[in-house]
Amino acid sequence: MARESESGLPVEPVYGPDALDGWDPAEKLGEPGAYPFTRGVYPSMYTGRPWTMRQYAGFGTAVESNARYKQLIANGTMGLSVAFDLPTQMGHDSDAPIASGEVGKVGVAIDSLDDMRVLFDGIPLDKVSTSMTINAPGALLLLLYQLVGEEQGVPADKLTGTIQNDVLKEYIARGTYIFPPKPSLRLIADIFKYCRTEIPKWNTISISGYHMAEAGASPAQEIAFTLADGIEYVRTAVAAGMDVDDFAPRLSFFFVARTTILEEVAKFRAARRIWARVMKEEFGAKNPKSLMLRFHTQTAGVQLTAQQPEVNLVRVAVQGLAAVLGGTQSLHTNSFDEAIALPTDKSARLALRTQQVLAYETDVTATVDPFAGSYVVEKMTDDVEAAALELMGRVEEMGGAVSAIERGFQKGEIERSAYRIAQETDSGERVVVGVNRYTIDVEEPYEPLRVDPAIEAQQAERLARLRQERDQSAVDAALVELKKAAEGTDNVLYPMKTALKARATVGEVCNALREVWGTYVPTDAF
């Protein structure tokens, strides 16, 4: 009897050659590192070197997060991944009334160049790759990073990393948007242009399906809506006068890895194939790097449980294996205690050790694309691809990703999927070990990491001191120039950098843009 996959597609008990009847390996697979990149974006994949092992971290003050980063680097992390607190993500200073109670809670508080300088103190920016999970204020954090690099004597062309910078998924699934879609897309195009000239090795956007998956999207929905957003960004940049091959090689993606290994592997392979075809056929990209769907993966936080949290160690190992078998370029493995609180030093180290075991104690890095030719995986890849293309077609019929967002299409589809998952879990049809099966009467005590509430007052004091020390006339003049650029067509990143260098705060810069562009208010469809 057939089961259903996470995407609601049939999974047969046995697969044989008939599953791939009429299937052309040359068309569907190709060679690793070659179009359509089903088998991976690089010819050697992990046989030469493993994926980049990132650990997502950031909490409290810049001092505390800096100490955590240094510990992660000492433990073998290859790249940093910065989590920012909600006020920073929403473009508010720590002393703003709206920030009360949220400072430093889910990430590090960054209010100005002073904080960014502390965050990366003693960390050579020419030797570490840094990913920053920041969206609406992505340009600001990138420029602050560049300014810290300049203070370290690191040329901008030596800086490597990624800003998430994917605002469309915020309207769909996450909610940390600031500006309406049109100026948000203009800002993204300005970032593309700025980085091409000023920071050429930087990945200018990480188009994210992860948060949609965490909101309940199925694998097919995750890649469909993510790639549809990617298409919207490419169209925006092309409409702004850029050649597709000038920016497409720096696009990257961000996906989840669930415990359902086979479908996750199929999802990643299908996503690469769809993107390569879109970039080649719709946009006429000539550079092979423009056709590559390079992506970061994070294990599924939504599948972690507060009950029997140690079981999450097993879940994360399985999810990490799915990402590796699917050909990810970098990976963050969640800590087992993240369903309870911010990870402790020990749990963060264990999460990194999980990746190191996968890389150095298993044989999955010995060969490229181990599942290629598998009846079940190839059939599931075709099925996920077909389901994703059907959803992408519906988005196109509505006029593209932004129009579909305004009609609430993606959000509605994801909510229906999330409701189905909740129903199956509540009924016991979907087994969650430790929650609805194999439970225990009394949970063992666990002491979580807690953020000191005094951080909010400390950040307010730092801001007060900054405003007394800086040249306020220089800040005011820079913000005026920023607003002029926002009102016109000049690239806003240049006056923005001047303002930040003069020690304007994140909130002040975002407020200047709010005055010109306004803020986004969800429609009734949401």
Side-chain angles (χ1 to χ4, degrees):
M1 180 178 176
R3 287 172 50 179
E4 281 193 351
S5 72
E6 293 288 294
S7 297
L9 304 171
V11 181
E12 302 295 338
V14 178
Y15 287 83
D18 58 322
L20 305 180
D21 186 36
W23 195 80
D24 182 357
E27 175 193 353
K28 296 284 190 176
L29 291 178
E31 295 297 321
Y35 185 85
F37 301 101
T38 310
R39 302 198 63 193
V41 292
Y42 302 122
S44 61
M45 288 305 289
Y46 313 134
T47 60
R49 60 181 293 272
W51 59 93
T52 299
M53 299 179 194
R54 295 191 184 276
Q55 286 306 108
Y56 184 52
F59 65 96
T61 64
V63 171
E64 292 172 294
S65 291
N66 175 263
R68 174 66 65 87
Y69 296 154
K70 288 176 178 175
Q71 289 173 347
L72 288 170
I73 291 170
N75 287 330
T77 295
M78 301 172 181
L80 299 176
S81 188
V82 184
F84 297 95
D85 71 356
L86 279 176
T88 305
Q89 292 181 48
M90 299 295 291
H92 297 294
D93 290 333
S94 294
D95 60 355
I98 197 172
S100 179
E102 292 294 341
V103 177
K105 289 291 178 65
V106 299
V108 61
I110 298 294
D111 290 314
S112 70
L113 178 58
D114 293 22
D115 289 330
M116 202 70 162
R117 189 181 293 129
V118 172
L119 185 65
F120 290 101
D121 180 54
I123 298 174
L125 300 191
D126 56 342
K127 294 181 172 61
V128 68
S129 170
T130 302
S131 173
M132 293 186 280
T133 302
I134 194 75
N135 296 287
L140 283 75
L141 275 300
L142 172 61
L143 293 170
L144 289 173
Y145 191 83
Q146 182 187 5
L147 287 166
V148 171
E150 289 176 357
E151 292 179 356
Q152 290 186 2
V154 178
D157 63 2
K158 300 294 184 186
L159 297 175
T160 59
T162 305
I163 44 173
Q164 190 167 107
N165 194 29
D166 174 9
V167 73
L168 292 181
K169 66 94 174 50
E170 298 296 325
Y171 305 125
I172 295 171
R174 193 161 176 267
T176 61
Y177 42 73
I178 300 176
F179 315 113
K182 187 175 180 179
S184 293
L185 289 173
R186 178 262 178 98
L187 181 56
I188 288 168
D190 281 357
I191 292 169
F192 287 1
K193 292 177 182 177
Y194 181 88
C195 286
R196 179 172 179 263
T197 303
E198 306 292 342
I199 318 178
K201 293 182 181 178
W202 197 265
N203 295 322
T204 50
I205 193 167
S206 178
I207 306 161
S208 176
Y210 181 86
H211 305 93
M212 298 186 213
E214 292 286 281
S218 71
Q221 290 173 339
E222 178 191 356
I223 63 170
F225 298 147
T226 304
L227 299 186
D229 286 352
I231 291 169
E232 192 83 30
Y233 293 131
V234 174
R235 288 173 178 163
T236 297
V238 170
M242 297 187 73
D243 184 272
V244 67
D245 287 320
D246 286 343
F247 65 88
R250 304 315 308 175
L251 302 178
S252 65
F253 291 80
F254 175 24
F255 295 116
V256 79
R258 301 170 180 81
T259 53
T260 43
I261 291 178
L262 298 180
E263 188 177 18
E264 291 301 285
V265 172
K267 176 191 77 178
F268 295 132
R269 300 169 90 251
R272 279 193 293 267
R273 197 154 71 201
I274 295 171
W275 187 248
R277 190 181 303 121
V278 166
M279 294 303 290
K280 182 178 182 179
E281 296 178 2
E282 178 173 343
F283 296 107
K286 302 291 192 297
N287 186 342
K289 292 183 178 179
S290 299
L291 311 179
M292 294 179 182
L293 184 141
R294 298 172 302 115
F295 63 94
H296 170 70
T297 309
Q298 181 173 338
T299 55
V302 74
Q303 291 187 322
L304 303 186
T305 64
Q307 300 92 331
Q308 301 181 48
E310 293 84 358
V311 178
N312 294 328
L313 288 164
V314 182
R315 293 187 177 103
V316 169
V318 171
Q319 294 162 357
L321 179 61
V324 171
L325 290 171
T328 192
Q329 276 58 72
S330 66
L331 177 62
H332 163 80
T333 33
N334 288 329
S335 301
F336 75 90
D337 50 357
E338 288 188 39
I340 302 171
L342 291 167
T344 63
D345 289 344
K346 181 177 181 179
S347 65
R349 185 171 62 250
L350 283 170
L352 176 60
R353 295 288 183 257
T354 302
Q355 294 200 50
Q356 291 164 340
V357 168
L358 289 173
Y360 302 113
E361 293 192 24
T362 75
D363 57 1
V364 297
T365 59
T367 187
V368 177
D369 192 21
F371 277 156
S374 159
Y375 298 133
V376 60
V377 168
E378 299 299 0
K379 181 62 168 66
M380 291 180 78
T381 300
D382 287 353
D383 289 348
V384 172
E385 179 183 20
L389 287 172
E390 191 272 333
L391 286 167
M392 292 172 71
R394 293 172 68 186
V395 170
E396 284 295 293
E397 289 171 2
M398 295 179 189
V402 171
S403 296
I405 286 168
E406 290 171 345
R407 294 172 64 171
F409 173 67
Q410 299 97 318
K411 188 170 183 287
E413 291 293 302
I414 291 170
E415 286 173 349
R416 278 187 283 276
S417 176
Y419 183 61
R420 174 176 61 87
I421 292 169
Q423 283 185 310
E424 291 173 359
T425 303
D426 290 345
S427 70
E429 179 183 351
R430 177 183 294 263
V431 176
V432 181
V433 174
V435 175
N436 62 10
R437 196 178 297 184
Y438 312 115
T439 58
I440 55 178
D441 293 333
V442 180
E443 293 283 344
E444 296 179 8
Y446 176 78
E447 184 59 38
L449 178 69
R450 301 188 188 281
V451 175
D452 187 350
I455 286 171
E456 192 167 319
Q458 293 169 11
Q459 283 297 111
E461 290 172 9
R462 284 175 60 82
L463 282 164
R465 189 161 58 248
L466 175 144
R467 293 183 180 114
Q468 288 178 342
E469 295 172 354
R470 70 188 183 183
D471 182 345
Q472 188 61 44
S473 63
V475 172
D476 293 341
L479 292 175
V480 167
E481 292 303 310
L482 174 62
K483 286 192 277 190
K484 285 181 182 177
E487 290 166 348
T489 58
D490 290 346
N491 193 314
V492 298
L493 269 74
Y494 291 96
M496 188 183 290
K497 184 184 178 189
T498 301
L500 292 168
K501 189 172 183 177
R503 299 171 79 193
T505 68
V506 168
E508 289 166 342
V509 171
C510 287
N511 286 339
L513 294 176
R514 284 183 179 98
E515 288 181 30
V516 178
W517 291 341
T519 55
Y520 179 69
V521 178
T523 63
D524 291 340
F526 282 67

